[in-house]
Amino acid sequence: MTSNTASIKGRTGTGAKLIIDNMLIIILIFELMIGAVLSPVFLGKTNIEGILINITIYGLLAIGQSLVMLVKEIDLSLGALMAFAPIAAIALTKKILAVSGSDVIVGGNYVVDGLHLIVLFVLVISALIGVLNGIISVKAQVPSLIVTLGMLYVLSGLSYILSGGYSLYLTNLEGAKWLGSSKLASLPVNFLLFLVVGVLVIFVLKYTKVGHRIYSTGGNEKAATYSGINAKFWKVTAFGLSGLCAGISALVYSSRLESVETTQGSGYELIAIAIAVIGGITLEGGKGKIFNTIIASAILCIMLNILSLIGLVAWYKTIVIGLIIIGAASQRVFSRK
């Protein structure tokens, strides 16, 4: 009798754990069903493509934010970096090509040349800003919340200074819209890029020493240091990778709109945090899976899409995002009690 009872409890416990482990996927499926019921255009080709592109833009930021949160830090500069990196890259390309007599910008704010250099500089600048955030936080022992909040304002100001406050248009730049609009096997190329980045990060964290060191650094920095892990290095590395993810996201965003604006990415750092929290990444560090971050990206983007389809204005969406952050974070706290 006792054996049977224990067996039943064991099976019940296993079933409950299975449901919890797959809760995000269950929520995702439930959302898809709700969307299909509430709007006839939800499953339309154009709407699905829009969702996938949004998943890419927000998801890349969320992956970067998740890496930083895994080492028990946070990055509030990601949104501002999405604007600064391409603006700074265009300004730098303009100066370099001016030596050879090539005009990068014509008509005041139309970018017409230097695509490859711009792409390269966006990625390099983004990664370097991320590394700088990490170095300041680690070396000066200033909380990353303060460092990256300050960097947010610095980058926002520099974006206005470099651009003069004007938008830069990429409509006359050959190849600029490829990443934002091209498809492969009916799927947006940028979404496939997002999946590649996600799978690569999952593989590195799960199957290499890099992942072990990042999780160890976030889980217990002192213990990691005593065991020979250079915790400070891995914190800086996480910030650098976060910046790089923001740079890739900026390329997708700008390519999609065929423009670069000083306000692009504004507030996106909060969406990235919301996605990471939904996916189970906590500020305690050392806990969470990037796979869940990817699923959470889809959950949030689909939810925002449904809210748009039913006519909910943007301000209500920000309230929803804020409540999600508070609710998910509170749930984590209560679940430990």
Side-chain angles (χ1 to χ4, degrees):
M1 185 72 174
T2 303
S3 177
N4 289 337
T5 301
S7 177
I8 292 173
K9 287 183 177 179
R11 288 196 297 270
T12 303
T14 301
K17 185 178 184 302
L18 186 62
I19 292 175
I20 292 172
D21 288 344
N22 292 283
M23 183 59 70
L24 290 178
I25 294 178
I26 293 172
I27 292 173
L28 179 60
I29 294 172
F30 185 63
E31 268 191 336
L32 291 172
M33 293 170 62
I34 290 177
V37 170
L38 292 179
S39 175
V41 303
F42 177 75
L43 294 178
K45 182 179 178 181
T46 301
N47 191 60
I48 293 297
E49 287 178 357
I51 292 175
L52 294 180
I53 293 172
N54 284 334
I55 291 174
T56 298
I57 294 170
Y58 294 140
L60 285 167
L61 291 176
I63 288 175
Q65 188 70 258
S66 295
L67 289 172
V68 172
M69 291 173 68
L70 283 176
V71 295
K72 209 172 182 178
E73 302 292 345
I74 196 164
D75 191 347
L76 297 180
S77 67
L78 295 178
L81 184 54
M82 280 187 66
F84 172 75
I87 289 173
I90 291 171
L92 186 56
T93 301
K94 178 182 177 181
K95 286 187 176 296
I96 291 176
L97 294 187
V99 176
S100 62
S102 298
D103 292 324
V104 171
I105 299 177
V106 298
N109 53 356
Y110 284 87
V111 182
V112 296
D113 196 11
L115 177 62
H116 294 93
L117 277 178
I118 292 171
V119 170
L120 175 62
F121 286 145
V122 166
L123 298 178
V124 172
I125 291 170
S126 299
L128 288 178
I129 293 296
V131 169
L132 180 60
N133 281 333
I135 290 175
I136 294 174
S137 179
V138 168
K139 294 295 183 181
Q141 295 185 339
V142 179
S144 57
L145 175 68
I146 303 300
V147 173
T148 57
L149 178 61
M151 187 62 74
L152 182 156
Y153 283 100
V154 170
L155 296 179
S156 296
L158 288 174
S159 295
Y160 276 93
I161 291 172
L162 291 175
S163 66
Y166 296 102
S167 298
L168 298 170
Y169 299 107
L170 310 177
T171 50
N172 295 330
L173 180 60
E174 185 178 357
K177 67 178 182 179
W178 181 81
L179 185 60
S181 60
S182 296
K183 297 183 183 65
L184 182 63
S186 298
L187 291 174
V189 168
N190 50 68
F191 178 70
L192 295 175
L193 174 62
F194 164 63
L195 293 181
V196 169
V197 171
V199 170
L200 181 61
V201 173
I202 290 171
F203 176 83
V204 170
L205 290 182
K206 189 172 183 178
Y207 298 106
T208 71
K209 292 182 179 179
V210 172
H212 168 71
R213 289 164 182 168
I214 286 177
Y215 277 105
S216 297
T217 296
N220 191 324
E221 186 176 345
K222 287 186 177 179
T225 301
Y226 289 146
S227 66
I229 294 174
N230 189 342
K232 292 182 179 180
F233 171 81
W234 291 108
K235 283 194 172 188
V236 173
T237 298
F239 273 103
L241 292 174
S242 179
L244 182 61
C245 286
I248 300 174
S249 183
L251 290 174
V252 175
Y253 186 99
S254 297
S255 176
R256 178 66 174 172
L257 297 183
E258 293 187 73
S259 67
V260 178
E261 302 174 353
T262 54
T263 58
Q264 70 180 40
S266 178
Y268 281 22
E269 65 280 349
L270 299 181
I271 296 178
I273 293 172
I275 291 172
V277 170
I278 292 171
I281 308 290
T282 72
L283 287 174
E284 297 174 348
K287 297 178 182 178
K289 300 177 181 179
I290 298 299
F291 175 77
N292 288 345
T293 297
I294 293 173
I295 300 300
S297 301
I299 289 174
L300 186 62
C301 288
I302 291 173
M303 182 195 70
L304 294 177
N305 179 259
I306 292 174
L307 294 178
S308 294
L309 291 177
I310 63 176
L312 205 62
V313 296
W315 298 116
Y316 289 100
K317 295 180 188 177
T318 61
I319 293 174
V320 172
I321 292 171
L323 291 175
I324 286 174
I325 295 176
I326 295 172
S330 299
Q331 187 275 330
R332 303 291 174 189
V333 172
F334 289 121
S335 65
R336 294 196 302 270
K337 294 182 178 181

